[in-house]
Amino acid sequence: MGDARRYHPLSSPFRMKRGGELLGARVAYETWGTLNAARDNAILILTGLSPSAHAAANTQDPSPGWWEAMIGPGRAFDTDRFHVICVNSLGSDKGSTCPASIDPATGEPYRLTFPELSLEDVANAAHETVSGLGIARLACLVGCSMGGMSALAYMLLHPDTVRTHISVDTAPQAQPFAIAIRSLQREAIRLDPRWNGGHYDDDVWPEHGMSIARKLGVITYRSAMEWNGRFARIRLDADERDDNAPFGFEFQVESYLEAHARRFNRQFDPNSYLYLSRASDWFDMAEYGDGDVMRGLQRIQVTRALVIGVSTDILFPLEQQETIARGLEAAGAAVDFVALDSPQGHDAFLVDIENYSKAIGGFLASI
Amino acid sequence: MGDARRYHPLSSPFRMKRGGELLGARVAYETWGTLNAARDNAILILTGLSPSAHAAANTQDPSPGWWEAMIGPGRAFDTDRFHVICVNSLGSDKGSTCPASIDPATGEPYRLTFPELSLEDVANAAHETVSGLGIARLACLVGCSMGGMSALAYMLLHPDTVRTHISVDTAPQAQPFAIAIRSLQREAIRLDPRWNGGHYDDDVWPEHGMSIARKLGVITYRSAMEWNGRFARIRLDADERDDNAPFGFEFQVESYLEAHARRFNRQFDPNSYLYLSRASDWFDMAEYGDGDVMRGLQRIQVTRALVIGVSTDILFPLEQQETIARGLEAAGAAVDFVALDSPQGHDAFLVDIENYSKAIGGFLASI
């Protein structure tokens, strides 16, 4: 498998919102389609917590990306028309500078000496990357899940750099249910003795904590409704069970979670996970509106926006997308609000390609 | 604090549904009010996973019980009229025989040699206790949460022993979302090195696993809506924070969960928790209806039933109470179905005393 990533060096020092700075930091990104001469056909996608910049296959890396069915010629993100960019969030270990990166001041990995990370830093790093590509104004800024929060920060901190916006399954601030879930995920990692205050290595890795964190994630990313249809009470076959493990798995839903956890474990740096998870809890548009979310949203200037949410999402409930839609509308944007009943919960944008393609493709065709 | 528990010795051997048996086992229970001469005014309450038999204060133990505001003279469970009994589930460590009990065959605690426990066993043990008190037929059988499933088993396995039924925030079978949550709670305990295959003691106790399990429980017992109003994004005061703990708690919702976990830890035997949790996953009325839940429910004979559920309950969603109501109705019972909008989620029956009192008190006044 090839590697399609390119790297943008960030300004050095790169100053972080909550204090601290990074020296010689970089952001990994990938692109699809061609930037036109006017440099006005670029779309930037900001991702959720764990995806890389590899949103779709390309020449250098033909492996399928995490939003493969959405990006390409004739697809919702039509690469015959648009130049699509996806950045790996600052603080994520998929090529961007993160807690697992070497601190040039010490020659050792940052680990917990990485400065406190906020989604505003993720947004600023993405903006520097776009500017570095010679793009003054995006045709569209897209943010999914955590990336939707980063996108709000991007538009607020960099006025006049975004013409239209697509907000996918996200929130204008972290609410206590989501904070509780993420706090418990972080705690599961922190309590794993092999996390060791952030000083794990390939031999001693907090697999148990990461496994619990990932399973809790998957449980809250999907929906009870979907699972009733998909797993019901189906048992594992005898040869899939480990009868020697006391209280071992017995139902298909348990092995489904286990498979998710195995795929994730060792694929994501635990410290980076902690930093990005906490950044999500901290995010709050009310900070930019004298304590009021709506006033914060009203400071964002775009001409048009599409806001999508799902009724089965328990992590970012539909009311939060309604708030974003109302806020952007109050700020003067023409807003399309799409409430879907996809059964897949928060993850619907990765699964219900038909409905998301229709909404996003339709919106982009009209801009 | 006194102790109001009395103990009923179970038949010996007490044979378990899934094989295995207990010798010299017992069930702890408490009572309120007076059994009348006809012995036809008894109400039995079957509890959720963690509560003891101490549902309310009484002379021997004046400390408040877990359903204090519901039980007493003039209250929803009116002890001027009814003789109320609450049993501690078989397998729970609040006085009934459980994995922490001494196995008479070895003189050592059962731990994981305790036979596989099902809610049918919990129901059979409760039925023996009621019979032992000389009560042939209950005026009403009440089951809350897990206890609601045990109550369905009780009525099915012991026909003609229950006149009316109150079903509170429960389900006719475990669905995959609830199984996933409980499986992850069990896994957090099992992965704690101090669980040690069930061989912990007071010095080496799986506190971390139990803490994660309890927090995940509390998250799913309550509702996002309640927490938005209650905690919003309120931060802890500086003196409530431990600034030396990396990724330590910062929001009130986090310290609320921590306080819950601390109150629970060391108060509940981890092995007993594992057994009761798995028993909940196993429960399925479809087993009694040739694979069909409705047919299973239709085998239950009571004259009247009250079925209560809450729209904000994510663990036992309202559709499951609707199924119970329809099944009992199809079996010939006159059913009152009460769907509440209490914001407290699954735990509403412990908190929204006003609405539960009204529904339960009204029903009992009419029987």
Side-chain angles (χ1 to χ4, degrees):
Chain A
M1 195 183 322
D3 189 339
R5 285 178 294 189
R6 287 186 283 164
Y7 298 91
H8 177 76
L10 295 177
S11 55
S12 188
F14 179 85
R15 299 190 196 288
M16 311 282 274
K17 179 193 177 195
R18 295 173 66 97
E21 56 187 35
L22 294 171
L23 297 175
R26 68 181 192 178
V27 161
Y29 66 97
E30 296 191 25
T31 67
W32 302 262
T34 308
L35 187 62
N36 64 14
R39 298 183 170 270
D40 66 0
N41 71 331
I43 293 177
L44 172 67
I45 298 173
L46 297 176
T47 78
L49 190 151
S50 58
S52 71
H54 192 59
N58 40 32
T59 315
Q60 303 93 316
D61 180 358
S63 67
W66 58 267
W67 227 5
E68 185 67 31
M70 296 289 288
I71 300 168
R75 292 190 173 155
F77 295 100
D78 186 349
T79 50
D80 285 340
R81 183 176 163 215
F82 291 109
H83 179 60
V84 178
I85 308 160
C86 182
V87 300
N88 181 231
S89 302
L90 182 68
S92 164
D93 70 344
K94 304 293 175 234
S96 296
T97 301
C98 72
S101 303
I102 300 297
D103 178 357
T106 65
E108 297 288 326
Y110 284 103
R111 303 186 188 271
L112 301 197
T113 69
F114 198 78
E116 289 185 343
L117 179 76
S118 70
L119 295 185
E120 284 84 347
D121 304 317
V122 172
N124 286 336
H127 175 256
E128 279 200 9
T129 306
V130 171
S131 299
L133 294 169
I135 297 160
R137 196 164 186 235
L138 291 165
C140 187
L141 174 61
V142 185
C144 308
S145 188
M146 184 192 87
M149 300 195 282
S150 307
L152 293 174
Y154 187 114
M155 295 184 289
L156 188 123
L157 297 171
H158 304 284
D160 300 321
T161 64
V162 176
R163 186 156 69 87
T164 73
H165 173 49
I166 299 177
S167 172
V168 180
D169 299 7
T170 191
Q173 65 174 187
Q175 285 185 334
F177 181 84
I179 292 174
I181 293 286
R182 285 191 289 254
S183 172
L184 191 53
Q185 291 174 308
R186 294 194 296 274
E187 191 169 359
I189 296 168
R190 293 192 290 124
L191 289 179
D192 188 326
R194 283 175 282 201
W195 177 61
N196 189 25
H199 285 267
Y200 45 85
D201 58 33
D202 281 348
D203 295 328
V204 180
W205 186 272
E207 284 198 11
H208 290 168
M210 287 296 278
S211 178
I212 291 173
R214 183 57 171 177
K215 289 183 181 187
L216 184 51
V218 174
I219 288 173
T220 54
Y221 296 158
R222 310 298 289 211
S223 89
M225 189 210 295
E226 181 202 24
W227 286 1
N228 286 343
R230 184 167 172 183
F231 300 115
R233 291 180 52 78
I234 302 172
R235 258 46 180 215
L236 294 171
D237 292 335
D239 62 351
E240 297 171 306
R241 295 183 53 178
D242 178 1
D243 286 330
N244 294 319
F247 301 94
F249 303 138
E250 179 169 348
F251 292 94
Q252 278 197 356
V253 68
E254 295 178 281
S255 68
Y256 162 83
L257 291 174
E258 180 68 14
H260 265 283
R262 286 207 181 146
R263 280 198 298 274
F264 188 69
N265 226 323
R266 303 256 177 189
Q267 299 300 314
F268 205 92
D269 174 54
N271 289 335
S272 299
Y273 188 93
L274 294 171
Y275 271 85
L276 286 163
S277 167
R278 184 177 59 179
S280 296
D281 284 0
W282 278 337
F283 187 69
D284 186 4
M285 283 299 291
E287 281 181 23
Y288 303 100
D290 297 322
D292 184 273
V293 166
M294 280 295 284
R295 271 207 298 273
L297 288 167
Q298 284 171 46
R299 291 181 50 194
I300 291 174
Q301 295 297 323
V302 287
T303 58
R304 292 190 53 194
L306 167 66
V307 180
I308 315 179
V310 185
S311 59
T312 56
D313 189 340
I314 59 173
L315 202 57
F316 293 79
L318 196 55
E319 305 87 74
Q320 294 204 281
Q321 288 96 58
E322 284 168 359
T323 301
I324 294 173
R326 282 189 291 112
L328 296 179
E329 198 158 62
V335 177
D336 298 342
F337 179 63
V338 176
L340 296 172
D341 286 322
S342 321
Q344 298 92 356
H346 181 66
D347 266 1
F349 73 100
L350 299 170
V351 187
D352 184 4
I353 296 300
E354 184 182 343
N355 280 307
Y356 280 79
S357 276
K358 197 170 141 195
I360 290 174
F363 178 81
L364 289 175
S366 75
I367 69 167
Chain B
M1 198 183 319
D3 189 339
R5 286 178 293 189
R6 285 186 284 165
Y7 299 92
H8 178 76
L10 295 177
S11 55
S12 187
F14 179 84
R15 298 190 197 287
M16 311 282 275
K17 177 191 178 198
R18 295 172 65 98
E21 56 187 35
L22 294 171
L23 297 174
R26 67 180 193 177
V27 161
Y29 66 98
E30 297 192 24
T31 67
W32 302 262
T34 309
L35 187 62
N36 63 15
R39 297 182 172 270
D40 67 359
N41 70 330
I43 293 176
L44 173 66
I45 299 173
L46 296 176
T47 78
L49 191 149
S50 58
S52 71
H54 191 59
N58 39 30
T59 315
Q60 302 94 317
D61 180 358
S63 68
W66 59 267
W67 226 3
E68 184 67 31
M70 296 289 286
I71 300 168
R75 292 189 174 155
F77 295 100
D78 187 349
T79 50
D80 285 339
R81 184 176 162 215
F82 291 108
H83 178 59
V84 178
I85 308 161
C86 183
V87 301
N88 180 231
S89 302
L90 182 69
S92 163
D93 71 343
K94 305 291 175 237
S96 297
T97 300
C98 71
S101 304
I102 299 298
D103 177 356
T106 65
E108 295 288 324
Y110 284 103
R111 302 185 188 272
L112 302 197
T113 68
F114 197 78
E116 290 185 346
L117 179 77
S118 71
L119 295 186
E120 284 84 346
D121 304 318
V122 172
N124 287 336
H127 175 256
E128 280 200 8
T129 306
V130 170
S131 300
L133 293 169
I135 298 161
R137 197 163 186 237
L138 290 165
C140 187
L141 174 61
V142 184
C144 308
S145 187
M146 185 192 87
M149 300 195 282
S150 307
L152 293 174
Y154 188 113
M155 294 184 289
L156 187 123
L157 298 172
H158 305 284
D160 301 323
T161 65
V162 176
R163 187 156 67 88
T164 74
H165 173 48
I166 298 177
S167 171
V168 180
D169 299 9
T170 191
Q173 66 174 185
Q175 286 186 332
F177 180 84
I179 292 174
I181 293 285
R182 285 191 289 254
S183 172
L184 192 52
Q185 291 173 308
R186 292 194 297 272
E187 191 169 0
I189 296 169
R190 292 192 292 123
L191 289 179
D192 187 326
R194 282 174 282 200
W195 177 61
N196 189 28
H199 286 267
Y200 46 83
D201 59 31
D202 281 349
D203 294 329
V204 180
W205 187 271
E207 283 197 11
H208 290 169
M210 287 295 280
S211 178
I212 290 173
R214 183 58 171 175
K215 288 183 181 187
L216 183 50
V218 174
I219 288 173
T220 53
Y221 297 158
R222 310 299 288 211
S223 90
M225 188 210 294
E226 181 202 24
W227 286 1
N228 287 343
R230 184 167 171 181
F231 300 115
R233 291 181 51 78
I234 301 172
R235 253 62 173 201
L236 294 171
D237 293 335
D239 61 354
E240 297 170 305
R241 296 184 52 178
D242 177 2
D243 286 331
N244 294 319
F247 300 94
F249 302 138
E250 181 170 345
F251 292 94
Q252 278 198 355
V253 69
E254 296 177 282
S255 67
Y256 162 83
L257 290 174
E258 179 69 14
H260 265 282
R262 288 207 180 148
R263 278 198 299 272
F264 188 69
N265 226 322
R266 304 255 177 187
Q267 299 300 314
F268 205 90
D269 173 53
N271 289 335
S272 300
Y273 187 93
L274 294 171
Y275 272 84
L276 286 163
S277 166
R278 184 177 59 179
S280 296
D281 284 1
W282 279 337
F283 187 70
D284 185 5
M285 282 301 291
E287 281 181 24
Y288 302 100
D290 296 322
D292 184 272
V293 166
M294 279 295 283
R295 273 207 297 275
L297 288 167
Q298 284 171 46
R299 292 180 51 194
I300 291 175
Q301 295 296 324
V302 287
T303 57
R304 292 189 53 195
L306 167 66
V307 180
I308 315 178
V310 185
S311 59
T312 55
D313 190 339
I314 59 173
L315 202 57
F316 294 78
L318 197 55
E319 305 88 75
Q320 294 203 281
Q321 289 95 57
E322 283 167 0
T323 302
I324 294 173
R326 281 190 291 110
L328 295 179
E329 198 157 60
V335 177
D336 298 341
F337 179 62
V338 175
L340 295 173
D341 285 323
S342 322
Q344 298 92 357
H346 181 66
D347 266 0
F349 73 101
L350 299 171
V351 187
D352 184 4
I353 296 299
E354 184 182 345
N355 280 308
Y356 280 78
S357 276
K358 198 170 139 196
I360 291 174
F363 178 80
L364 289 176
S366 75
I367 69 168

